[in-house]
């Protein structure tokens, strides 16, 4: 018996052959190329390779999407990175992209037909967006976050959402709704947080690009632990409306929050940065963002500062030796390397960062809870270190203005440093990925640095350097531990020199060993 599906396929093939006979040779060649099976591992290729294949029509968006969905189906159950999947919506979007290209010969935009996942903190119209919170378990937004709208306008196909800790408030990724996201290199290690789901998804090949958010390293720490690239862009160049937290429907967000790209190489970071960097919709009628070109053309021309370690937040032996190797590589390439000059005091900068972070987090505190915090803060002497959190969270507006003035003075010191240096390279974290501590209450958590127990939040001290002063900061894999875990460095650049840090990362990567790839990302 001949199945109906077989008969339909056969008839379609006969009709296509007849149509071919009457078409010009060039058109027949294009059609034949598009009929070839797509490269079986195209979903694991860099985004720019996928996009090139889509534009050449050697693969359809639908075919690439099906590869991606099959890989998610195989890989995600053991990873826990993708938490909400919209296969039907993605198929409809992919088919629409294919019809548009066939009809017009022109792509929808820079991300035409590219399957992507999105962090579950970004409101996505018609798609459940929970930010890992049971209170938002049924939240389906009726509009897109500004960044999501830009991705759709560029032609991206939204496949689903990736995991976060509850309300993005942890350095590892787990929540009561979806459980824990595991590090793709070692399931006993954390993927980091709060963008642990996005970073793990990129590392494991579930998506070629992601958008994470970063207030206190939430974008860069997971990238460091999962062995991928991430860029915290200069403050203010990527719209943040529609990010949770703040609560759904709020028009404002933290003055320290930035959204940025995650990818498997520096070139793909730059590709997504071009889509994300834009004024908010309310400002778009009057101005544009035109980021300057990289400061230098060749690695040998760069003036690089290297900050290998600091008594305030010592790094482990592996990380310190990694920074030494990077500095030696840069010198060998002809770059000017300064490993002694420091732009700021790490301890003082970190204390200011914490004060401003605790202050901005108070905006959505319930009235009764905030009143309790004020009463508790009044009972702690101003100079008592134990009162840092409460005094910062409840500071008067006058105190915040003075802290903001201190921030501007700090930005001035960074600007002076970058008058004689193009970038600064620092550790991304004190160690490679630390043990997952989901089952341990936060007060009992710690990290271990060369056998010494250290505070849990020391993980982000180096990342906090850039967080409150609006500087672009990129994290990239640069080595590995003896156990095969990725080791990363951070590249900080001058305000609005985002293309400089991306360029340096790309040039540096070409001279470093190939990054560690987890098994899922190799086929």
């Amino acid at each position: 018996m001949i199945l109906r599906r077989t008969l339909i396929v056969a008839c379609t093939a006969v009709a296509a052959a007849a149509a071919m006979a009457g078409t010009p040779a060039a058109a027949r060649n294009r059609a034949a190329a598009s009929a070839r099976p797509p490269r079986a591992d195209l979903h694991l290729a860099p985004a720019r390779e996928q996009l090139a294949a889509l534009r050449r029509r050697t693969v359809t968006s639908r075919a690439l999407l099906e590869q991606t969905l099959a890989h998610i189906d195989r890989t995600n159950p053991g990873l826990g990175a993708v938490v909400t999947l919209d296969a039907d919506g993605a198929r409809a979007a992919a088919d629409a992209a294919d019809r548009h290209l066939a009809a017009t010969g022109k792509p929808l935009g820079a991300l035409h037909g590219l399957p992507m996942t999105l962090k579950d903190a970004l409101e996505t119209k018609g798609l459940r967006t929970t930010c890992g919170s049971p209170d938002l378990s049924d939240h389906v937004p009726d509009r897109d976050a500004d960044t999501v709208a830009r991705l759709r306008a560029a032609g991206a196909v939204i496949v689903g959402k990736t995991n976060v800790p509850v309300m993005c408030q942890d350095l590892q990724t787990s929540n009561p709704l979806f459980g824990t996201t595991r590090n793709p290199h070692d399931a006993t290690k954390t993927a980091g947080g709060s963008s642990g789901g996005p970073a793990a998804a990129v590392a494991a090949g579930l998506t070629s690009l992601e958008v994470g958010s970063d207030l206190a390293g939430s974008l860069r720490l997971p990238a460091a632990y999962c062995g991928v690239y991430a860029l915290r862009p200069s403050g203010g160049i990527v719209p943040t409306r529609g990010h949770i937290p703040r609560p759904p429907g709020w028009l404002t967000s933290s003055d320290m929050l930035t959204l940025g790209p995650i990818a498997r190489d520096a070139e793909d970071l730059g590709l997504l940065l071009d889509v994300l960097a834009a004024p908010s919709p309310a400002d778009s009628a009057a101005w544009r963002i035109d980021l300057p070109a990289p400061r230098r053309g060749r690695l040998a021309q760069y003036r690089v500062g290297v900050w290998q370690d600091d008594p305030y937040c010592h790094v482990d032996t592996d990380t310190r030796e990694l920074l030494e190797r990077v500095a030696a590589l840069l010198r060998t390439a002809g770059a000017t390397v300064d490993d002694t000059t420091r732009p700021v005091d790490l301890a003082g900068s970190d204390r200011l960062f914490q004060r401003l972070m605790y202050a901005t987090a108070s905006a959505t505190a319930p009235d009764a809870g905030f009143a309790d915090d004020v009463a508790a803060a009044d009972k702690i002497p101003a100079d008592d270190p134990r009162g840092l959190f409460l005094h910062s969270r409840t500071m008067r507006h006058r105190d915040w203005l003075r802290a903001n003035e201190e921030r501007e003075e700090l930005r001035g010191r960074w600007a002076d440093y970058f008058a004689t240096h193009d970038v600064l390279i620092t550790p991304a974290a004190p160690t490679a990925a630390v043990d997952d501590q989901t089952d341990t209450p936060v007060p009992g958590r710690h990290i271990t640095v060369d056998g010494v127990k250290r505070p849990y939040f020391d993980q982000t001290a180096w990342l906090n350097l850039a967080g409150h002063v609006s500087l672009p900061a990129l994290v990239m894999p640069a080595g590995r531990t003896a156990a095969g875990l990725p080791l990363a460095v951070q590249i900080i650049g001058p305000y609005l020199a985002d293309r400089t840090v991306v360029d340096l990362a790309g040039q540096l990567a070409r001279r470093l060993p190939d990054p560690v790839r987890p098994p899922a990302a190799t086929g």
Side-chain angles (χ1 to χ4, degrees), residues 92-164:
D95 289 343
D98 290 334
R99 288 194 299 270
H100 176 89
L101 189 59
T104 68
K106 297 179 181 179
L108 289 165
L111 302 179
H112 172 90
L114 184 73
M116 280 185 64
T117 58
L118 287 176
K119 184 175 181 178
D120 197 29
L122 291 167
E123 292 204 281
T124 308
K125 184 177 180 180
L127 187 58
R128 183 172 65 158
T129 304
T130 72
C131 203
S133 171
D135 292 340
L136 296 175
S137 59
D138 298 320
H139 175 54
V140 179
D142 58 6
R143 65 178 182 181
D144 283 330
D146 290 343
T147 292
V148 177
R150 289 195 59 79
L151 294 172
R152 289 196 202 271
V157 173
I158 307 304
V159 177
K161 310 301 287 291
T162 46
N163 206 23
V164 300

Side-chain angles (χ1 to χ4, degrees), residues 307-376:
W307 193 346
Q308 297 172 356
D309 202 355
D310 192 272
Y312 176 73
C313 186
H314 275 304
V315 301
D316 70 2
T317 301
D318 285 342
T319 301
R320 190 163 50 253
E321 290 178 349
L322 174 71
L323 270 290
E324 292 170 356
R325 289 196 297 273
V326 168
L329 184 154
L330 289 166
R331 287 191 175 97
T332 300
T336 301
V337 177
D338 172 15
D339 56 8
T340 61
T341 307
R342 303 290 178 251
V344 296
D345 171 64
L346 182 59
S349 174
D350 192 49
R351 181 179 175 83
L352 178 62
F353 173 90
Q354 291 182 57
R355 292 183 65 207
L356 290 166
M357 178 183 67
Y358 296 146
T360 191
S362 68
T364 57
D367 291 345
F370 187 71
D372 291 341
D373 288 342
V374 171

